Amino acid sequence: MKKIGFLSFGHWSPSPQSGTRSGADALLQSIDLAVAAEELGADGAYFRVHHFARQLASPFPLLAAAGAKTKRIELGTAVIDMRYENPLYMAEDAGAADLIAGGRLQLGISRGSPEQVIDGWRYFGYVPQEGKSDADMARNHAEIFLDLLRGEGFAQPNPRPMFPNPPGLLRLEPFSAGLRDRIWWGAATDATAVWAAKLGMNLQSSTLKFDESGEPLHVQQAKQIRAYRAAWKEAGHTREPRVSVSRSVFALVNDMDRAYFGGSEGEDHFGYIEPEKRAVFGRTYAAEPDKLVEQLREDEAIAEADTLLLTVPNQLGVDYNAHVIESILKHVAPALGWR
């Protein structure tokens, strides 16, 4: 068995060719797709966070709204860029959204990727400490956030408060028990995957990774996952970790599928997402279901992971994206033993 969810970047464009023409469309359609995915039997609805872009940004209103309209499906992010986050305010928002969803949040966080503006986090009021990088700042924010989610008191109470306080130091409220175990780190390297394991975070690996060996993405990701699990075991954590990988996968079952994605099948390619940092970008899987089954069976990273996130072309509308998800659940997953 394998958990299968979708991952949406929530792109929107005022173009007449887009089915998602505004920020309101992107948000409301994301909620509708989460509802539809739950009805189809999918396991997760995940959303990417990008700032200064015509995409989904602040995730917690969306997660809370989706949580109020669904019952079972996991609701998550992949990923929240921690360079932009106030860990204390984030802990309050995350606790509230998780309580509304009944403990179904799966929050992917990370150092983030290149954004639409130069050093966008500076506009949010965050500057790395002297001698530290923006990546160091993101990891520091993440560690503070993780500590807050333990629910331990740390703030000295006012001796004359407006309302009565419980005894001892105060923690942030609302607190959602169990959320600490549902935090994931989006790792682009083997080293950050190992770091995440030591801190007890689950692992997310995307459709791209910094190139560390010149091998195909799925091979490099499989090695990353094995290194992560070894570090997890060495750290002595008592629970089993979770691991997800993201893929662009389209089963061609009708003429519309073939029109949209019939020419998309390709290979991994290498390029530079940041100066001097070579990355490997994963291929798109697009084929008839029987051929798709054989291709996915060879993907080492999918085999290693317990969760697969299907990237969806959200501007093609809720109905079509629900069809994309259903096609995988119905025509592909059973043949691979995922259902």
Side-chain angles (χ1 to χ4, degrees):
M1 299 294 289
K2 194 180 296 291
K3 289 184 178 292
I4 301 174
F6 73 82
L7 170 60
S8 174
F9 281 47
H11 294 282
W12 62 272
S13 167
S15 166
Q17 285 73 44
S18 174
T20 309
R21 300 185 184 182
S22 68
D25 285 346
L27 289 162
L28 295 172
Q29 290 176 17
S30 294
I31 297 167
D32 289 344
L33 186 56
V35 172
E38 179 173 80
E39 292 173 351
L40 291 169
D43 302 296
Y46 286 73
F47 305 99
R48 184 66 165 90
V49 176
H50 279 293
H51 300 287
F52 300 103
R54 290 178 173 180
Q55 299 176 37
L56 297 172
S58 56
F60 293 108
L62 171 58
L63 293 171
K69 296 199 71 173
T70 56
K71 300 293 185 184
R72 177 194 56 81
I73 197 169
E74 294 179 344
L75 302 164
T77 52
V79 289
I80 298 171
D81 188 332
M82 293 303 291
R83 295 174 297 180
Y84 289 77
E85 294 297 323
N86 177 322
L88 284 84
Y89 204 110
M90 182 177 174
E92 290 184 342
D93 279 351
D98 194 43
L99 290 171
I100 290 171
R104 289 182 283 129
L105 257 60
Q106 303 285 342
L107 293 181
I109 64 176
S110 183
R111 171 262 188 185
S113 60
E115 293 287 299
Q116 298 299 104
V117 300
I118 298 171
D119 295 347
W121 28 268
R122 293 182 182 272
Y123 295 98
F124 279 55
Y126 303 114
V127 180
Q129 295 178 357
E130 185 71 27
K132 299 293 185 179
S133 69
D134 62 315
D136 295 326
M137 179 174 67
R139 286 189 282 270
N140 177 251
H141 287 180
E143 290 178 1
I144 295 171
F145 178 61
L146 292 173
D147 283 342
L148 293 168
L149 293 185
R150 298 182 192 281
E152 298 173 358
F154 62 92
Q156 189 67 40
N158 187 338
R160 292 182 294 277
M162 182 176 295
F163 308 106
N165 280 325
L169 299 177
L170 301 183
R171 68 186 183 189
L172 292 173
E173 301 289 354
F175 173 70
S176 185
L179 180 57
R180 172 63 178 79
D181 289 342
R182 289 178 273 116
I183 306 302
W184 308 57
W185 184 260
T189 65
D190 292 0
T192 51
V194 168
W195 172 81
K198 291 178 180 178
L199 290 182
M201 287 187 280
N202 301 312
L203 176 66
Q204 289 181 336
S205 200
S206 183
T207 51
L208 68 87
K209 180 184 179 296
F210 288 134
D211 177 32
E212 297 182 88
S213 68
E215 296 170 295
L217 173 68
H218 75 100
V219 175
Q220 294 198 46
Q221 278 187 327
K223 291 180 177 179
Q224 179 192 50
I225 293 168
R226 293 178 196 123
Y228 165 81
R229 288 208 171 104
W232 183 279
K233 183 177 180 180
E234 183 178 350
H237 302 303
T238 56
R239 68 176 178 87
E240 283 297 313
R242 289 185 59 186
V243 175
S244 74
V245 295
S246 303
R247 291 289 184 270
S248 298
V249 184
F250 302 97
L252 307 182
V253 300
N254 61 32
D255 289 343
M256 184 174 290
D257 298 331
R258 285 182 279 272
Y260 281 138
F261 301 106
S264 300
E265 186 180 355
E267 299 179 350
D268 292 351
H269 65 278
F270 294 82
Y272 289 84
I273 192 171
E274 294 183 3
E276 301 180 1
K277 285 189 177 181
R278 188 171 187 252
V280 55
F281 300 80
R283 57 175 290 185
T284 294
Y285 290 96
E288 306 294 329
D290 55 345
K291 185 177 180 182
L292 201 55
V293 167
E294 295 306 313
Q295 293 173 348
L296 294 172
R297 188 172 280 130
E298 300 300 316
D299 192 307
E300 294 183 23
I302 293 179
E304 290 280 351
D306 60 78
T307 300
L308 173 63
L309 301 183
L310 305 169
T311 62
V312 293
N314 72 281
Q315 289 187 84
L316 295 181
V318 174
D319 290 344
Y320 184 74
N321 280 284
H323 160 73
V324 167
I325 297 166
E326 183 180 27
S327 295
I328 301 301
L329 294 175
K330 182 178 179 180
H331 299 295
V332 177
L336 289 164
W338 300 347
R339 281 292 186 270

